């Protein structure tokens, strides 16, 4: 079959700049074949090479006594004691989910689960962080329905509980929704599997499902802005099969017990190309592949299509040759493909053969470690203009506006479509803060949360980046967990624009500062750039997924307020309303600065909560919506009324950081106040729980009426 001629248009269609193509010519000393152009395009695009962000990602703290494996592998690995480790990562599937919401979101879940079990871990929890356009936009309801169905159908069928996440709406996502998928698994700390190949003439084995044409060019598509040709990109979206993936999980974990696996890598972005190159590059080896041996489900596939297909539920492995028969028997038993498709070679070559022809012969190391790396020009985000004053409002009207918005209403419409109880170890289901899952067969548990406030990051990337980490830390603390480590999913617009690059740089600086101060290193992550449509970028959305440890189930803070208990505020509030939920929902304004994050106060106040968890019944952190929304959510969960003493709009709805609301008896409140004084932790009684009415500063409404609004607003908005 004749290959297309390499033209300037073809090079541009592969996402390569003229200077990048010139570099390819310099490296190989000739014009590339069509397949070679595809391979370079896949390995050098933003999605695989992180060429715009690498310089800044290196500044993040990635180490700590608890870290077994930081960034660079399929997922991060953190020690949780007793010879066990938690393996976790978050990854985006934004572009595919906008084009084809059900399959885009489903395969996002499938991909992140493979990242976890390729390390030898059994998945135990999933989360997702979703950002959609305005509820009234013509595409929003379709996207929400498709994405939630896709996540639910894949996770539920695979059999992993979805225990947490977040959903937001903002006009900046009208043309580019965000779907960030998180997965965590459990492994034995001394039995982690890595992707670096070793040994010469070792068999390279293809495992799992057959290769088709779905997803060809998906990674390149994910590294481009959208325009009016978006519908033409539908074939670049993969199709998932959770039942095949479940068999692949069981087969891989069984195989790993046999000692047959030298290295293993899932086939995600750029499929066979990326997995083979990464294994060879990390092991300083070359790889020869014979594509005639690749199991295909479509006839007449070209080398280009096979190398760039992103068909799902596939793995690549380097195998101990003496274990071949044993390994094949396991995959035959699980009714999955097992094919030796190549071998490791001592030379620095990536050699691709198909139909007795050499389709590619490239220096392998230059594909991965020599990908372009840019120090892109960036402009710091200017300080926000001074803010117009915010008028005092009726506090019940303010609360009604928040709980009636799909951004802050109860999200049960979403999480009820997810199975949060499969595996029977989920202790805390979605809707009440961090999700908590028991470590099976032990007295321990793990807590999971995902957080970011994009409005803050847009106004002030450094403080917004800090705040995302601080809120994740507080969510873990509020359920009694000691924060361990985090994963980041950095979603931004086009990094070739200095103001967008400035947002990315500022957010990474803020994330790094907070992770260092809170001893919560970043152990894995994903960067998703070019989230723009017709030149309009999304709000900068650096999602932080964080994991905490409960050494004993007795440490869990999961109570609800009791009738007559005091509402006690831990931490100082100054009535910060810049970029607040109240400002956005009631006044339709997005002005002012993000709240400042005092990292020393975050650490001090969080440590105080953990040290005194026996002195209160219930706890939540304060974030969007401030004291009023946090207190209402606690009251609604308990089915109790609420009285808050203040009528001041800033004190009720301000979003100052480092704050928690706890519910306790009068005697406990006294004991906490005494314990807090020498530590400099501010403590103040702000009201009490009880009755059937919500009273705030003299205004009131029946609890039942507010709960009905809170419970129905989301479904009504996306119905």
């Amino acid at each position: 079959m004749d290959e297309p001629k390499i033209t300037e248009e073809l090079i541009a269609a592969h996402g390569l700049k003229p200077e990048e193509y010139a570099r390819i010519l310099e490296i190989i000393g000739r014009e590339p074949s069509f397949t070679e152009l595809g391979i370079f395009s896949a390995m050098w695009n933003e999605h695989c090479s992180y060429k715009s962000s690498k310089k800044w990602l290196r500044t993040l703290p990635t180490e700590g006594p608890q870290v077994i494996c930081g960034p660079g592998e399929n997922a991060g690995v953190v020690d949780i004691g007793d010879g066990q480790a938690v393996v976790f990562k978050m990854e985006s599937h934004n572009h595919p989910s906008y084009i084809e919401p059900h399959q885009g979101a489903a395969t996002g879940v499938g991909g992140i689960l493979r990242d976890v079990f390729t390390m030898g871990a059994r998945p135990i929890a999933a989360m997702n962080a979703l950002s959609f356009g305005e509820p009234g936009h013509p595409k929003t309801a379709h996207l929400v329905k498709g994405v939630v169905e896709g996540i639910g159908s894949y996770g539920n069928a695979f059999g992993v509980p979805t225990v947490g996440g977040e959903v937001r709406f903002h006009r900046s996502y009208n043309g580019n929704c965000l779907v960030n998928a998180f997965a965590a698994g459990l492994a034995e700390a001394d039995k982690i599997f890595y992707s670096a190949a070793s040994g010469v003439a070792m068999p390279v084995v293809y495992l799992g499902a057959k290769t088709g044409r779905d997803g060809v060019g998906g990674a390149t598509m994910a590294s481009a802005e959208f325009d009016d040709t978006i519908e033409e990109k539908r074939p670049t979206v993969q199709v998932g099969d959770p039942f095949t993936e479940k068999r692949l999980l069981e087969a891989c974990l069984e195989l790993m017990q046999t000692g047959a696996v030298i290295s293993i890598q899932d086939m995600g972005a750029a499929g066979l190309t990326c997995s083979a190159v990464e294994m060879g590059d990390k092991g300083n080896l070359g790889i020869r592949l014979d594509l005639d041996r690749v199991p295909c489900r479509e006839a007449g596939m070209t080398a280009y299509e096979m190398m760039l297909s992103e068909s799902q539920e596939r793995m690549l492995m380097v195998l101990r040759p003496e274990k071949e028969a044993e390994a094949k028997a396991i995959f035959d038993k699980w009714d999955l493909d097992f094919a030796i498709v190549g071998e490791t070679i001592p030379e620095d070559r990536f050699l691709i053969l198909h139909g007795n022809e050499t389709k590619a012969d490239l220096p392998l190391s230059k594909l991965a470690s020599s990908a372009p790396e840019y120090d892109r020009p960036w402009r710091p985000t200017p300080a926000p203009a001074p803010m117009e004053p915010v008028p005092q409002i009726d506090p019940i009207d303010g609360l009604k506006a928040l709980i009636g918005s799909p951004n802050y209403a109860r999200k049960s419409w979403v999480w009820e479509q997810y199975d949060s109880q499969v595996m029977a170890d989920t202790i805390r289901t979605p809707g009440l803060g961090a999700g908590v899952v028991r470590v099976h067969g032990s007295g321990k548990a793990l807590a999971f949360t995902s957080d970011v406030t994009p409005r803050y990051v847009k106004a002030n990337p450094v403080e917004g980046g800090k705040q995302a980490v601080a809120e994740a830390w507080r969510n873990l603390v509020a359920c009694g967990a000691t924060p361990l480590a985090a994963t980041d999913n950095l979603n931004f617009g086009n990094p070739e624009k200095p103001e967008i690059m400035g947002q990315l740089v500022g957010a990474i600086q803020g994330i790094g500062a907070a992770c260092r101060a809170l001893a919560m290193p970043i152990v894995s992550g994903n960067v998703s750039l070019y989230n723009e449509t017709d030149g309009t970028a999304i709000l900068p959305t650096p999602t932080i997924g964080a994991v905490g440890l409960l050494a004993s189930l007795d440490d869990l803070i999961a109570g609800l307020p009791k009738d007559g208990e005091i509402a006690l505020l831990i931490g100082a509030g100054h009535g910060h309303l810049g970029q607040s939920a109240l400002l956005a929902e009631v006044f339709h304004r997005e002005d002012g600065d993000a709240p400042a994050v005092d990292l020393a106060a975050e650490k001090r106040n969080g440590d105080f909560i953990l040290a005194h968890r026996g002195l209160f019944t219930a706890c939540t952190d304060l974030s969007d919506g401030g004291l009023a929304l946090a207190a209402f959510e606690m009251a609604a969960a308990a089915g109790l009324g609420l009285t808050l003493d203040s009528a001041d709009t800033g004190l009720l709805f301000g979003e100052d950081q480092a704050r928690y609301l706890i519910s306790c008896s009068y005697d406990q409140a006294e004991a906490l106040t005494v314990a807090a004084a020498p530590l400099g932790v501010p403590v103040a009684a702000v009201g009490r729980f009880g009755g059937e009415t919500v009273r705030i500063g003299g205004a009131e409404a029946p609890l039942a009426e507010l709960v009905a609004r809170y419970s129905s607003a989301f479904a009504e908005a996306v119905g």
Side-chain angles (χ1 to χ4, degrees):
M1 184 173 162
D2 288 339
E3 293 202 335
K5 183 170 166 26
I6 308 291
T7 62
E8 284 179 15
E9 291 75 20
L10 192 65
I11 293 162
H14 279 75
L16 290 162
K17 301 264 192 291
E19 60 272 21
E20 292 174 340
Y21 183 69
R23 188 162 170 180
I24 291 170
L25 296 180
E26 197 182 308
I27 286 169
I28 64 176
R30 57 177 171 79
E31 189 176 86
S33 69
F34 180 54
T35 302
E36 288 174 332
L37 182 72
I39 288 170
F40 268 108
S41 156
M43 291 306 300
W44 283 15
N45 71 59
E46 193 71 58
H47 195 70
C48 294
S49 73
Y50 294 161
K51 58 192 176 189
S52 299
S53 56
K54 230 183 241 176
K55 171 189 161 108
W56 298 100
L57 295 175
R58 289 192 192 103
T59 66
L60 290 169
T62 58
E63 294 175 347
Q66 72 277 40
V67 178
I68 294 172
C69 173
E73 275 293 337
N74 290 290
V77 186
V78 175
D79 196 326
I80 60 167
D82 307 312
Q84 293 176 304
V86 60
V87 178
F88 65 94
K89 188 184 183 185
M90 195 166 213
E91 201 160 78
S92 59
H93 232 225
N94 304 336
H95 283 45
S97 299
Y98 187 77
I99 296 166
E100 215 303 304
H102 186 106
Q103 289 299 344
T107 51
V109 175
I112 199 68
L113 289 168
R114 280 196 305 284
D115 279 337
V116 165
F117 72 75
T118 191
M119 305 282 295
R122 180 174 289 278
I124 61 159
M127 293 191 293
N128 53 79
L130 312 176
S131 302
F132 298 106
E134 295 163 296
H137 186 271
K139 278 204 82 157
T140 298
H142 162 72
L143 289 170
V144 173
K145 187 168 180 288
V147 163
V148 172
E149 275 180 359
I151 290 168
S153 67
Y154 203 103
N156 297 354
F158 177 85
V160 64
T162 299
V163 299
E166 49 185 346
V167 187
R168 72 179 56 83
F169 297 87
H170 188 274
R171 64 184 176 280
S172 72
Y173 306 105
N174 280 347
N176 196 127
C177 64
L178 302 183
V179 174
N180 294 176
F182 170 100
L186 278 178
E188 292 179 50
D190 59 350
K191 294 200 176 101
I192 305 295
F193 288 82
Y194 298 101
S195 56
S198 65
V200 172
M202 294 293 161
V204 174
V205 187
Y206 173 112
L207 306 169
K210 289 180 165 50
T211 294
R213 290 187 171 94
D214 53 328
V216 171
T220 304
M221 174 271 291
S223 300
E225 292 181 36
F226 282 154
D227 53 29
D228 52 13
T229 64
I230 185 170
E231 283 303 314
E232 297 164 22
K233 298 186 169 85
R234 194 170 293 273
T236 59
V237 179
Q238 316 90 326
V239 178
D241 176 359
F243 300 106
T244 300
E245 177 125 338
K246 177 67 172 165
R247 299 202 315 274
L248 183 61
L249 161 75
E250 299 299 346
C252 285
L253 293 183
E254 188 174 332
L255 181 66
M256 287 164 171
Q257 298 297 316
T258 67
V261 179
I262 294 174
S263 72
I264 187 163
Q265 172 83 20
D266 83 294
M267 288 196 225
L272 198 50
T273 291
C274 200
S275 52
V277 169
E278 286 190 6
M279 286 169 96
D281 186 56
K282 285 175 185 168
N284 295 316
L285 291 165
I287 296 224
R288 179 184 61 76
L289 294 178
D290 182 353
L291 299 187
D292 295 335
R293 298 178 182 179
V294 170
C296 292
R297 65 165 187 260
E298 298 182 49
M301 285 188 72
T302 64
Y304 178 94
E305 290 171 327
M306 279 190 244
M307 291 308 293
L308 297 187
S309 164
E310 293 184 9
S311 292
Q312 295 293 289
E313 292 86 43
R314 301 180 302 158
M315 297 283 211
L316 199 64
M317 171 178 73
V318 178
L319 178 75
R320 297 196 190 284
E322 69 276 12
K323 296 274 192 178
E324 184 191 324
E326 190 179 356
K328 186 176 187 311
I330 290 170
F331 276 75
D332 287 348
K333 179 183 88 175
W334 287 100
D335 194 23
L336 292 163
D337 278 294
F338 177 100
I340 294 175
V341 294
E343 64 173 0
T344 58
I345 54 178
E347 309 88 34
D348 178 21
R349 287 173 83 188
F350 192 38
L351 188 58
I352 309 298
L353 310 171
H354 188 220
N356 297 322
E357 283 181 47
T358 299
K359 291 295 185 181
D361 188 354
L362 299 169
L364 185 141
S365 64
K366 298 283 190 259
L367 289 165
S369 40
S370 299
E373 190 174 316
Y374 295 122
D375 185 0
R376 294 206 186 274
W378 60 281
R379 215 171 28 243
T381 301
M387 198 176 132
E388 292 290 315
V390 179
Q392 294 287 318
I393 60 160
D394 179 294
I396 292 291
D397 289 347
L399 180 61
K400 282 180 174 175
L402 292 181
I403 62 177
S405 155
N407 277 311
Y408 307 109
R410 202 160 184 265
K411 308 292 191 303
S412 47
W413 184 90
V414 176
W415 75 66
E416 282 168 3
Q417 298 185 52
Y418 304 149
D419 188 338
S420 62
Q421 296 293 346
V422 64
M423 301 177 85
D425 279 318
T426 306
I427 297 170
R428 201 175 193 212
T429 53
L432 289 168
V436 180
V437 175
R438 183 187 297 106
V439 176
H440 195 77
S442 81
K444 295 184 299 200
L446 289 163
F448 304 100
T449 185
S450 129
D451 299 284
V452 64
T453 308
R455 291 188 313 277
Y456 294 171
V457 188
K458 174 93 187 288
N460 187 331
V462 177
E463 291 302 312
K466 282 186 201 169
Q467 191 276 338
V469 174
E471 188 178 338
W473 150 274
R474 288 198 303 271
N475 272 324
L476 296 174
V477 166
C479 73
T482 300
L484 283 179
T487 179
D488 58 3
N489 202 151
L490 307 176
N491 308 273
F492 291 82
N494 182 345
E496 294 166 51
K497 298 176 178 174
E499 67 276 15
I500 300 285
M501 195 63 208
Q503 292 174 349
L504 176 65
V505 171
I508 290 175
Q509 289 171 337
I511 289 166
C515 287
R516 274 186 284 274
L518 300 172
M520 195 165 78
I522 298 282
V523 296
S524 59
N526 170 246
V527 179
S528 173
L529 305 179
Y530 297 96
N531 289 291
E532 298 203 2
T533 300
D534 296 328
T536 301
I538 60 160
L539 284 179
T541 312
T543 310
I544 300 294
V547 178
L549 177 66
L550 291 141
S552 160
L553 291 176
D554 296 337
D555 292 340
L556 180 67
I557 305 168
L560 296 172
K562 294 182 183 145
D563 198 357
E565 285 194 327
I566 289 174
L568 204 64
L569 183 62
I570 308 293
H574 308 287
H576 183 94
L577 287 167
Q579 299 299 334
S580 65
L582 184 83
L583 207 58
E585 299 294 345
V586 175
F587 299 101
H588 310 293
R589 287 167 49 185
E590 290 181 17
D591 56 329
D593 202 347
V597 181
D598 178 341
L599 292 167
E602 289 285 1
K603 182 83 172 71
R604 183 189 65 219
N605 297 357
D607 288 348
F608 177 78
I609 292 285
L610 290 175
H612 297 87
R613 65 185 119 206
L615 285 175
F616 49 87
T617 311
C619 179
T620 184
D621 83 304
L622 267 58
S623 54
D624 280 312
L627 170 62
L629 187 57
F632 170 77
E633 287 174 347
M634 281 178 99
L640 286 175
L642 161 74
T643 301
L644 291 178
D645 303 325
S646 177
D648 183 78
T649 299
L651 289 177
L652 288 167
F653 297 100
E655 295 180 6
D656 304 272
Q657 300 296 297
R659 296 189 300 158
Y660 300 83
L661 185 65
I662 60 181
S663 172
C664 60
S665 70
Y666 180 81
D667 290 347
Q668 288 171 325
E670 274 201 328
L672 284 162
T673 305
V674 169
L679 301 172
V681 174
V683 175
V686 290
R688 61 213 145 279
F689 295 96
E692 295 177 0
T693 304
V694 174
R695 291 188 183 86
I696 310 180
E700 61 178 69
L703 175 71
E705 177 197 316
L706 296 177
V707 168
R709 184 184 186 99
Y710 179 55
S711 302
S712 62
F714 188 93
E716 285 167 10
V718 299

